[in-house]
Amino acid sequence: MHQPGLMRYKVIVAALVVALLAGACSNADPKADRPTTTSPPTSAPEAAAARSGLAAAATQADVRVGAAVDAGRLRSEPEYREAIVNHFTSMTPENAMKWTSLRPERDRWDWEDADAIVDFADEHDLEVRGHTLVWGQDAGNGMPAWLTELNDPAEFRRAVTDGITTQLTRYRGRVQRWDVVNEPLEGLGGALDRNPFYQRIGPNYIEEVFRIADAADPDAELWLNEYGTEFLPAKGEQLVQLVTDLVNAGVPIDGVGFQSHVILDVDSAPETQRDVMARIRALGLEVAITELDVPISATRDEAEQIDVYRRMTEACLAQKCAEITVWGVDDDSTWLDVEAIRASNPLLGALSLPSDPLLLGPEFEEKRTYDAVASALRGP
Ligand code: XIL
């Protein structure tokens, strides 16, 4: 388990919500003994007929509704598969397409998990958001050591070019869109993050990797993905500036994803996000919520959680967003509850346990958060 990326949230906590730490809750995990599921997989036609309120409402609103998916659970849990097909129209591999998973060594690719997700999407008529080609800020989580340790700029560039080209060529026509660059800005904003891509290729690395991706799959949508702008207006400003520069330089970028891990209890987050989205839309690009989760915390109860879900959905729709993806299928497994991650991070440690941040409960039951999003999608 790598932790470095999560350190950035420490910085945010220190800057913004020290108060949250006051109310740390119990550490017992009541989910530890949950039974595993046994029901048979649902066939595609049955699943299509049974598609739930959420998927139907999203389709009606012309928005994709997605979930981050874990390849291991996809293989082993029929009810997990069933929930994905019933409730969602898009999947994002939670980790399977990060280079740490997909290309652990320079000359060794491991396609098994990523292929399983893409095959499942094909079988069930779901779309796939490929996540992610370049995640320099979180070297360790997103990028393997062999790459970040490659010091020679020409060799580094060659490895990146070959890697992106191999990956996009393999999934041409099957992965409709890619998060090409994830988290290019420093945690609190202010500048481009000085990650290994910046250091080896230079500040133009973003432009360069978008062009490489475009050459490898001219039909795929190419997205930039960022976090924290719902809490940090200055970072939102900088995101708009960065994307404006890319558009002016003719870079083939189609959209901007807003991660939306609404961890901090900051009341204006949905409306702040809506305003940044509006400015990206004004540049002619698409916008999407790409990693939404809203945990229960010491300062946020369920009623507030439901309200944030509703307002985040409304904010997205107000900007005609293309997608709302939540960062996990059900509350039984969410990155926010992983002990090692929580231990490394004072903010996450201050969340309630379980943090119950998603739309489906641990038995895949539809929660009130689910109803709130579905009803916001249906409109007034
Ligand atoms: C997280 C995964 O959910 C964890 O399982 C993994 O250990 C670390 O990465 N922003 C992103 C996602 O863009 O890729 C991260 O996913 C969460 C934060």
Side-chain angles (χ1 to χ4, degrees), residues 1-2 8-9 94-95 98 131-132 135 141 182-183 225 259 261 291 327 335 341:
M1 177 64 59
H2 301 283
R8 63 182 185 250
Y9 288 116
E94 183 171 358
N95 292 305
K98 292 170 184 167
H131 177 81
T132 173
W135 189 13
N141 250 328
N182 194 26
E183 305 184 353
N225 202 42
Q259 290 187 10
H261 296 289
E291 305 186 14
W327 205 241
W335 72 305
I341 290 178

Side-chain angles (χ1 to χ4, degrees), residues 90-146:
S90 174
M91 298 193 290
T92 301
E94 183 171 358
N95 292 305
M97 285 185 180
K98 292 170 184 167
W99 281 21
T100 35
S101 311
L102 200 60
R103 202 182 178 191
E105 290 157 37
R106 186 167 183 180
D107 300 317
R108 185 167 71 82
W109 289 83
D110 183 350
W111 299 104
E112 204 184 331
D113 285 355
D115 279 357
I117 292 172
V118 176
D119 289 347
F120 185 81
D122 273 351
E123 264 169 59
H124 297 281
D125 203 18
L126 299 160
E127 300 204 9
V128 180
R129 169 177 288 272
H131 177 81
T132 173
L133 302 177
V134 168
W135 189 13
Q137 178 167 164
D138 215 340
N141 250 328
M143 292 289 142
W146 68 261

Side-chain angles (χ1 to χ4, degrees), residues 112-363:
E112 204 184 331
D113 285 355
D115 279 357
I117 292 172
V118 176
D119 289 347
F120 185 81
D122 273 351
E123 264 169 59
H124 297 281
D125 203 18
L126 299 160
E127 300 204 9
V128 180
R129 169 177 288 272
H131 177 81
T132 173
L133 302 177
V134 168
W135 189 13
Q137 178 167 164
D138 215 340
N141 250 328
M143 292 289 142
W146 68 261
L147 180 64
T148 54
E149 286 161 9
L150 219 51
N151 284 321
D152 178 59
E155 242 197 290
F156 185 91
R157 199 181 239 118
R158 201 159 37 243
V160 170
T161 307
D162 292 351
I164 292 177
T165 305
T166 303
Q167 194 171 340
L168 266 63
T169 304
R170 183 181 187 91
Y171 293 124
R172 215 181 262 168
R174 304 178 73 207
V175 171
Q176 289 75 21
R177 56 197 59 82
W178 292 93
D179 290 334
V180 178
V181 176
N182 194 26
E183 305 184 353
L185 301 174
E186 283 177 343
L188 291 175
L192 283 182
D193 185 61
R194 303 277 171 131
N195 62 46
F197 292 84
Y198 183 105
Q199 287 163 22
R200 310 286 189 277
I201 298 177
N204 279 341
Y205 83 90
I206 299 175
E207 166 164 359
E208 198 165 322
V209 294
F210 269 89
R211 291 194 194 283
I212 294 166
D214 188 47
D217 184 354
D219 294 329
E221 293 170 21
L222 305 180
W223 290 67
L224 183 141
N225 202 42
E226 189 49 274
Y227 79 98
T229 52
E230 66 275 28
F231 304 121
L232 300 160
K235 189 172 180 180
E237 191 65 43
Q238 200 196 1
L239 178 66
V240 171
Q241 193 54 56
L242 168 63
V243 176
T244 303
D245 290 348
L246 294 175
V247 168
N248 288 342
V251 174
I253 176 173
D254 295 290
V256 175
F258 294 75
Q259 290 187 10
S260 314
H261 296 289
V262 195
I263 293 168
L264 307 185
D265 188 14
V266 174
D267 192 51
S268 54
E271 291 71 35
T272 304
Q273 173 133 308
R274 181 197 58 208
D275 295 348
V276 184
M277 283 182 157
R279 296 176 65 195
I280 300 292
R281 291 293 277 151
L283 297 170
L285 299 190
E286 299 217 53
V287 293
I289 288 181
T290 52
E291 305 186 14
L292 182 60
D293 46 21
V294 186
I296 301 279
S297 75
T299 61
R300 182 195 283 137
D301 62 18
E302 193 199 4
E304 287 157 339
Q305 176 196 37
I306 291 165
D307 188 55
V308 173
Y309 260 114
R310 178 182 60 76
R311 285 161 56 217
M312 287 300 278
T313 305
E314 288 171 354
C316 200
L317 292 176
Q319 296 311 323
K320 300 202 180 335
C321 64
E323 175 179 325
I324 300 177
T325 283
V326 285
W327 205 241
V329 172
D330 63 294
D331 284 341
D332 197 38
S333 72
T334 152
W335 72 305
L336 297 175
D337 287 355
V338 171
E339 285 302 333
I341 290 178
R342 299 174 70 97
S344 74
N345 184 296
L347 171 59
L348 301 186
L351 301 180
S352 303
L353 250 179
S355 62
D356 291 337
L358 296 168
L359 304 182
L360 298 174
E363 308 297 337

Side-chain angles (χ1 to χ4, degrees), residues 31-39 73 76-80 332 362-364:
K31 296 191 279 187
D33 296 330
R34 271 182 195 135
T36 50
T37 56
T38 50
S39 72
R73 292 190 68 191
S76 64
E77 289 184 46
E79 285 191 7
Y80 185 81
D332 197 38
E363 308 297 337
F364 301 102

